Amino acid sequence: GQQLNQSPQSMFIQEGEDVSMNCTSSSIFNTWLWYKQDPGEGPVLLIALYKAGELTSNGRLTAQFGITRKDSFLNISASIPSDVGIYFCAGPLDYNTDKLIFGTGTRLQVFP
Amino acid sequence: DGGITQSPKYLFRKEGQNVTLSCEQNLNHDAMYWYRQDPGQGLRLIYYSQIVNDFQKGDIAEGYSVSREKKESFPLTVTSAQKNPTAFYLCASSIDERRTYGYTFGSGTRLTVV
């Protein structure tokens, strides 16, 4: 089945550093979603983007809807240990439903 | 508080056995989904249901079955036909209008074949 490509696959960073990750698709999306999954738990929605070029923040997190509508970016500023987890992008498979496809995930490790 | 509950958290299955994973939501969401998560492969859709008594196969439905007899409940059965069932299973629900609001996920069930 179709999947979104995320990069990098994993990141190991020092506490306080900024983080950037991205997600690309071969097809155009009208919505981009970013989720975070803590170890052993279900993903939780962080940010939703609905318009090309849109830039949205949620605390230290900032996400952007790419102009081409085929990509999206997530930045985390001044990382802290609780940022550890897997970050997924997602987008609707079908314009008429809420059925989503998910990226392959970026695994983030933060060292004190 | 509204939410989505999966049980059990951990499940062990012997070869050749069927097992059923529970998923219940009290969010009054119409749509419910089952995903499988393996390391490095993201989330893959098994089955989804947009309305009671109706469900559709996802990308990896072989070896799985579901039912949707009530709006609140969407149990998943992993049958003996599933060749590699060891994985983390996630249930989700959504409002399912023509605009994506995103899913609410349960906390998952980790299934291990012993």
Side-chain angles (χ1 to χ4, degrees):
Chain A
Q2 184 183 359
Q3 276 193 322
L4 301 175
N5 296 312
Q6 280 187 250
S7 65
Q9 265 192 321
S10 59
M11 305 180 75
F12 300 84
I13 63 169
Q14 204 85 30
E15 184 177 357
E17 289 183 10
D18 296 343
V19 171
S20 291
M21 59 189 80
N22 71 306
C23 186
T24 58
S25 169
S26 56
S27 53
I28 289 173
F29 280 359
N30 58 14
T31 300
W32 283 98
L33 305 168
W34 283 94
Y35 286 84
K36 183 198 177 196
Q37 184 180 28
D38 289 331
E41 297 296 327
V44 172
L45 182 66
L46 298 173
I47 292 177
L49 302 160
Y50 298 106
K51 193 174 170 184
E54 181 181 352
L55 190 70
T56 297
S57 293
N58 178 4
R60 292 177 297 104
L61 277 63
T62 302
Q64 183 163 22
F65 194 137
I67 292 291
T68 65
R69 295 170 64 192
K70 291 185 176 183
D71 54 12
S72 181
F73 309 89
L74 178 69
N75 296 313
I76 305 172
S77 63
S79 59
I80 59 178
S82 62
D83 290 333
V84 165
I86 304 176
Y87 292 80
F88 290 103
C89 61
L93 255 175
D94 182 336
Y95 183 74
N96 291 321
T97 75
D98 268 5
K99 194 149 64 82
L100 296 175
I101 58 168
F102 286 82
T104 47
T106 293
R107 185 180 295 271
L108 179 63
Q109 286 279 11
V110 180
F111 295 101
Chain B
D1 285 338
I4 183 165
T5 301
Q6 290 187 241
S7 63
K9 182 70 175 174
Y10 300 95
L11 188 56
F12 297 89
R13 191 196 92 171
K14 291 184 180 178
E15 295 272 0
Q17 278 185 340
N18 292 354
V19 289
T20 297
L21 283 58
S22 170
C23 179
E24 303 276 335
Q25 54 99 1
N26 60 2
L27 298 164
N28 200 32
H29 284 174
D30 290 312
M32 297 186 75
Y33 312 82
W34 275 105
Y35 283 87
R36 171 180 170 139
Q37 185 175 24
D38 296 285
Q41 293 199 46
L43 306 179
R44 292 184 291 168
L45 182 63
I46 304 172
Y47 268 99
Y48 67 101
S49 168
Q50 293 173 278
I51 196 169
V52 174
N53 293 323
D54 187 49
F55 48 82
Q56 310 295 329
K57 291 182 179 180
D59 296 325
I60 56 165
E62 186 175 346
Y64 300 97
S65 66
V66 293
S67 63
R68 188 85 186 276
E69 297 176 3
K70 299 186 300 183
K71 187 175 185 177
E72 302 80 17
S73 179
F74 192 40
L76 173 75
T77 297
V78 184
T79 75
S80 56
Q82 170 50 235
K83 298 302 178 198
N84 184 21
T86 294
F88 191 53
Y89 290 88
L90 286 161
C91 180
S93 68
S94 74
I95 297 173
D96 194 35
E97 296 178 355
R98 292 191 176 193
R99 173 187 168 106
T100 300
Y101 293 97
Y103 294 172
T104 299
F105 280 91
S107 56
T109 293
R110 187 167 296 280
L111 174 63
T112 303
V113 173
V114 295

